[in-house]
Amino acid sequence: MAVTIKDVAKLANVAPSTVSRVIADNPRISEETKERVREAMKELGYHPNFIARSLANQSTQALGLVMPSSADKVFQNPFFPEVIRGISTMAHEKDYALYMSTGETEDEIFEGVVKMVQGKRVDGIVLLYSRIDDEVINYLVENKFPFTVIGKPFKDADSITHVDNDNYLASKEVTEYLIGLGHDRIAFVGGSLNLVVTIDRLLGYEKALRNSNLVYRDDYIVQEEFLKEGGREAVKELLALTDPPTALVVTDDIMALGVLNTLAEMGISVPDDISVVSFNNSMFSEVSRPPLTSVNINIFDLGCTAAKYVIEQIENPSGHVKRVIVPHKLVKRQSCKEKSLQLKTVE
Amino acid sequence: MAVTIKDVAKLANVAPSTVSRVIADNPRISEETKERVREAMKELGYHPNFIARSLANQSTQALGLVMPSSADKVFQNPFFPEVIRGISTMAHEKDYALYMSTGETEDEIFEGVVKMVQGKRVDGIVLLYSRIDDEVINYLVENKFPFTVIGKPFKDADSITHVDNDNYLASKEVTEYLIGLGHDRIAFVGGSLNLVVTIDRLLGYEKALRNSNLVYRDDYIVQEEFLKEGGREAVKELLALTDPPTALVVTDDIMALGVLNTLAEMGISVPDDISVVSFNNSMFSEVSRPPLTSVNINIFDLGCTAAKYVIEQIENPSGHVKRVIVPHKLVKRQSCKEKSLQLKTVE
DNA sequence: TTGTATGCGTTATCAA
DNA sequence: TTGATAACGCATACAA
């Protein structure tokens, strides 16, 4: 059995409660005894048992991370390591640890959240995604458990602290950029429509088209998974149309990579035949062929800020709901071209 | 206050201990009372408090992850998301959660480990790296705490369960491949020499040179950080030499990416002027220009297996030390060329 | 300034 | 088959 507060107490000739107070650096303990107790701790190699402390305290100094699906898939998209990087940095600053449950299906993930919350394994939660009709959010709200979401909650957005980009605007700008290059057949390749981010970006895209009196065509809207294969599927669908698009808004770099690959295999050149813009500005957008014009959404900041505000909620439960919009910026590289300069049009 | 075992007991008209036994599905409880208790649990929405259970049990069903440095840097290299993916998959299968502390310096990381262990926050630990003279390993060994390391422990390798590649062999093969292409001026760009993986690969590289009677030159050995910038620095150093290498063994894709970038900026072509092989076979090696010839070290398996064996240690403490070598495979792409076919030699 | 007693929510050991 | 009761290791209200 490890050394406990009692062993220290015995050695230092004080009561266990005194040791406890020394650990908490309680000002009502004399410097002398503090010194004596500290020496005893050092001598015995004492370290507090966090579990016991958590039980007495009702606090764990840990943040729970909830991902949209199995780590298996999630970690293939650089978005997640990057948000976690942000969360971790802030967590470290505030001295919190990170806790991840490992569910695979939606149900398992929900179960994982319940275990974290009811099991009191974490003090707060960061949701790394936002989807419509999410039972996780409902559960957290009902239980008044501290949490923040990265992305915009589908409903009750003004009563839930969240950190998001202005995805509507970003997508609108990106589409306008393409329109500005003379494109009028622009397709949208997004992730699942269950994700609020997809909805927002689709809306922005639609708005831009409408503003320019371009037609919004259902067959130009494709939804796939946020993985490379997703991009591959999208291209196949779109190029099978009788009048395929000349430009693509892709909502994720990793999908865009799939798009690029597939296009290359088909002998279609980017940007000579088709222009592509994407989101996330991950390292992939720099190294792809051609380098991708992509929206930098400051993923790291997203994570940092989200962590900051759960911790704030934990430490000051009466605080106010926050809503933070992290700025975005279009980074132009070589995947877009004026339509008139494109060599030929795919038919 | 949440609903506890006592509330359930009251509602079901039994003692708390009975409820506890029902949770554990103790066979000595009659089916009737079990049913009654279960209904009460459902009615109250009872969920066990994991912290309390951990305290009573001395077990947490959680695995601690220890990274080599701040998450900040670590998550920029795709190796780590990928191992975690593997670990997470196995952890999920065995119903364990994951716990990460967030230290930045070596000391903070060590402190984090101590907190995990003494604080009884986790049942076992996976070390995601292996460096020489690592106090973390010493500490874990001294405390007889279950852990596995990904990589080869610097010392006592046969008393520490670990999962590794045969890095010596892999590096030797890779170097021989380059020699086979006619190269005789081959440089080695590795990570920190504190990392055992770097040492092993350097040794393999050296052996291959020696076998072919090529000279081993100190100025052909460069160590940098496992990041893109690392590759950039390496190239600068090597190309400043009077007789620069015609081929590079780079021990990490992300560094190789930096190498490729820098070379491109300098107007030096890969593979026409310089051949490059690297390790990890991450997605970057597929999308880089040119696509990188890289060693697939099966990172996912590394993680999976490491997790599997900590859990085994946890559940069967008397088990035997394991040492697993995960196979590797050279994946040839377009970053290497026979020396005689290279257009010119950089001087 | 310090000690005593009790509780945090479980599990486990004895009895019954 | 079930119920008291004592741990588990720490924090804290109350006493001293």
Side-chain angles (χ1 to χ4, degrees):
Chain A
M1 203 60 24
V3 24
T4 77
I5 214 173
K6 286 180 191 167
D7 304 316
V8 177
K10 209 168 291 173
L11 182 64
N13 252 314
V14 294
S17 54
T18 304
V19 178
S20 174
R21 284 191 261 256
V22 173
I23 295 172
D25 203 22
N26 189 315
R28 307 194 308 193
I29 299 287
S30 72
E31 271 311 317
E32 303 165 63
T33 40
K34 272 190 186 173
E35 222 21 74
R36 198 147 42 89
V37 170
R38 286 195 184 116
E39 262 175 44
M41 296 200 307
K42 194 156 278 175
E43 194 175 327
L44 296 175
Y46 170 79
H47 273 267
N49 180 322
F50 233 93
I51 295 291
R53 169 180 287 186
S54 294
L55 185 59
N57 260 352
Q58 310 283 40
S59 115
T60 60
Q61 290 284 329
L63 259 31
L65 264 35
V66 183
M67 328 249 194
S69 66
S70 66
D72 190 351
K73 284 188 175 169
V74 150
F75 277 117
Q76 297 197 38
N77 189 320
F79 176 87
F80 293 95
E82 185 70 5
V83 245
I84 293 179
R85 200 166 74 83
I87 294 173
S88 175
T89 300
M90 181 56 69
H92 171 253
E93 193 173 303
K94 308 279 191 179
D95 210 28
Y96 276 74
L98 263 27
Y99 189 91
M100 305 188 315
S101 65
T102 53
E104 296 209 328
T105 68
E106 238 179 276
D107 282 351
E108 282 178 356
I109 290 167
F110 180 69
E111 251 326 294
V113 173
V114 173
K115 277 188 187 174
M116 286 201 252
V117 174
Q118 309 262 16
K120 308 245 184 286
R121 280 170 170 243
V122 299
D123 294 341
I125 280 184
V126 181
L127 273 185
L128 268 48
Y129 65 93
S130 169
R131 68 161 61 98
I132 65 181
D133 294 329
D134 191 15
E135 47 175 357
V136 172
I137 289 201
N138 294 336
Y139 173 80
L140 260 15
V141 170
E142 275 172 24
N143 286 273
K144 301 195 200 312
F145 198 78
F147 77 103
T148 60
V149 0
I150 292 180
K152 189 173 75 186
F154 182 60
K155 52 179 199 176
D156 306 323
D158 34 56
S159 63
I160 296 175
T161 291
H162 61 281
V163 183
D164 197 13
N165 304 105
D166 190 338
N167 282 306
Y168 173 84
L169 180 63
S171 181
K172 182 163 155 287
E173 287 173 357
V174 148
T175 311
E176 283 166 352
Y177 168 67
L178 255 15
I179 295 172
L181 290 177
H183 292 279
D184 49 6
R185 302 215 308 271
I186 305 172
F188 177 89
V189 180
S192 160
L193 265 183
N194 289 323
L195 296 175
V196 177
V197 57
T198 306
I199 298 173
D200 281 351
R201 290 182 184 165
L202 182 55
L203 256 28
Y205 156 87
E206 188 186 347
K207 176 68 174 172
L209 293 193
R210 220 176 285 287
N211 282 354
S212 300
N213 292 316
L214 296 178
V215 278
Y216 172 91
R217 305 170 40 165
D218 281 342
D219 55 1
Y220 273 10
I221 311 301
V222 189
Q223 299 129 41
E224 300 287 348
E225 220 172 355
F226 275 140
L227 289 178
K228 219 170 146 190
E229 292 66 38
R232 163 159 264 113
E233 290 310 312
V235 167
K236 284 187 191 160
E237 283 187 42
L238 290 170
L239 291 193
L241 297 175
T242 50
D243 43 356
T246 62
L248 267 37
V249 174
V250 184
T251 65
D252 184 287
D253 281 343
I254 208 92
M255 286 181 83
L257 224 50
V259 167
L260 253 32
N261 275 190
T262 314
L263 251 20
E265 283 165 20
M266 299 172 84
I268 297 170
S269 155
V270 174
D272 287 335
D273 302 326
I274 286 192
S275 290
V276 175
V277 304
S278 78
F279 283 79
N280 286 11
N281 195 43
S282 66
M283 204 183 292
F284 285 114
S285 50
E286 295 175 39
V287 302
S288 61
R289 264 156 309 174
L292 282 164
T293 290
S294 183
V295 181
N296 180 358
I297 58 170
N298 291 304
I299 302 175
F300 183 86
D301 280 3
L302 243 27
C304 247
T305 315
K308 182 176 166 193
Y309 288 123
V310 227
I311 295 174
E312 200 170 287
Q313 279 181 66
I314 294 167
E315 297 181 347
N316 174 21
S318 58
H320 226 300
V321 172
K322 296 279 190 310
R323 171 208 166 96
V324 180
I325 298 297
V326 171
H328 62 266
K329 189 170 189 322
L330 183 64
V331 179
K332 293 179 188 166
R333 296 202 180 81
Q334 290 122 60
S335 60
C336 297
K337 205 168 195 174
E338 278 201 39
K339 189 181 182 189
S340 57
L341 298 178
Q342 290 191 176
L343 295 181
K344 58 186 178 202
T345 300
V346 188
E347 294 300 339
Chain B
M1 202 62 23
V3 24
T4 76
I5 214 172
K6 287 181 190 166
D7 304 316
V8 178
K10 209 167 292 174
L11 182 64
N13 252 314
V14 293
S17 51
T18 304
V19 178
S20 174
R21 284 190 263 256
V22 173
I23 295 171
D25 202 22
N26 189 316
R28 306 193 311 193
I29 299 287
S30 73
E31 271 310 317
E32 303 165 63
T33 40
K34 272 189 187 174
E35 222 21 75
R36 196 147 41 89
V37 170
R38 287 197 183 113
E39 261 174 45
M41 296 198 310
K42 195 156 277 174
E43 192 174 329
L44 297 175
Y46 169 80
H47 272 267
N49 180 323
F50 235 92
I51 295 290
R53 171 179 285 187
S54 294
L55 185 60
N57 260 353
Q58 311 282 39
S59 117
T60 60
Q61 289 284 331
L63 260 29
L65 264 35
V66 183
M67 326 248 196
S69 66
S70 66
D72 190 352
K73 286 189 173 169
V74 150
F75 276 117
Q76 298 199 35
N77 189 321
F79 176 87
F80 293 95
E82 184 69 4
V83 245
I84 294 179
R85 200 165 74 81
I87 294 172
S88 174
T89 300
M90 180 56 68
H92 171 253
E93 193 174 302
K94 307 281 191 176
D95 211 28
Y96 277 73
L98 263 26
Y99 189 91
M100 305 190 315
S101 65
T102 53
E104 297 210 326
T105 66
E106 239 180 276
D107 282 351
E108 283 178 356
I109 290 168
F110 180 68
E111 250 327 294
V113 172
V114 173
K115 277 188 186 172
M116 286 201 250
V117 174
Q118 310 262 13
K120 308 242 183 287
R121 282 173 166 240
V122 299
D123 294 341
I125 281 185
V126 181
L127 273 186
L128 268 49
Y129 65 93
S130 167
R131 69 161 62 98
I132 64 181
D133 295 328
D134 191 15
E135 48 175 356
V136 172
I137 289 201
N138 294 335
Y139 173 80
L140 258 17
V141 170
E142 275 171 24
N143 286 273
K144 301 194 198 314
F145 197 79
F147 77 102
T148 61
V149 0
I150 292 180
K152 188 175 75 188
F154 183 60
K155 51 178 199 176
D156 305 324
D158 34 57
S159 65
I160 297 175
T161 291
H162 62 279
V163 183
D164 197 13
N165 303 105
D166 189 338
N167 282 306
Y168 172 83
L169 180 63
S171 181
K172 182 164 155 288
E173 287 173 357
V174 147
T175 311
E176 284 165 352
Y177 169 67
L178 254 16
I179 294 172
L181 290 177
H183 292 279
D184 49 7
R185 300 213 312 269
I186 306 171
F188 178 89
V189 180
S192 160
L193 266 184
N194 289 322
L195 296 175
V196 177
V197 57
T198 307
I199 298 174
D200 280 352
R201 289 181 184 166
L202 183 55
L203 256 28
Y205 156 86
E206 189 186 346
K207 176 67 174 174
L209 293 194
R210 221 177 283 286
N211 281 353
S212 301
N213 293 314
L214 295 177
V215 278
Y216 173 91
R217 302 172 41 166
D218 281 344
D219 55 1
Y220 273 11
I221 311 300
V222 189
Q223 298 129 41
E224 301 286 348
E225 220 172 357
F226 275 141
L227 289 178
K228 219 170 149 191
E229 291 67 37
R232 163 159 264 111
E233 290 310 312
V235 167
K236 284 187 192 158
E237 284 186 41
L238 290 171
L239 291 192
L241 297 175
T242 50
D243 44 358
T246 62
L248 267 38
V249 174
V250 185
T251 65
D252 185 289
D253 280 343
I254 208 94
M255 287 181 83
L257 225 51
V259 166
L260 253 32
N261 275 190
T262 314
L263 251 19
E265 284 165 19
M266 298 172 87
I268 297 170
S269 154
V270 174
D272 287 336
D273 301 325
I274 287 192
S275 290
V276 175
V277 304
S278 78
F279 283 78
N280 285 10
N281 196 43
S282 67
M283 205 183 293
F284 285 114
S285 50
E286 295 176 38
V287 301
S288 61
R289 263 156 308 173
L292 282 163
T293 290
S294 183
V295 181
N296 181 358
I297 59 170
N298 292 303
I299 303 176
F300 182 86
D301 280 2
L302 244 26
C304 247
T305 315
K308 182 174 164 195
Y309 288 123
V310 227
I311 295 175
E312 200 171 287
Q313 280 180 64
I314 294 168
E315 297 181 348
N316 174 20
S318 57
H320 227 300
V321 171
K322 294 280 190 310
R323 170 209 167 95
V324 180
I325 297 299
V326 171
H328 62 266
K329 190 170 185 326
L330 183 65
V331 179
K332 293 178 189 168
R333 296 201 180 81
Q334 291 123 58
S335 61
C336 297
K337 206 170 197 176
E338 278 201 40
K339 190 182 179 188
S340 57
L341 297 179
Q342 289 191 178
L343 294 180
K344 60 188 175 199
T345 301
V346 188
E347 296 299 337

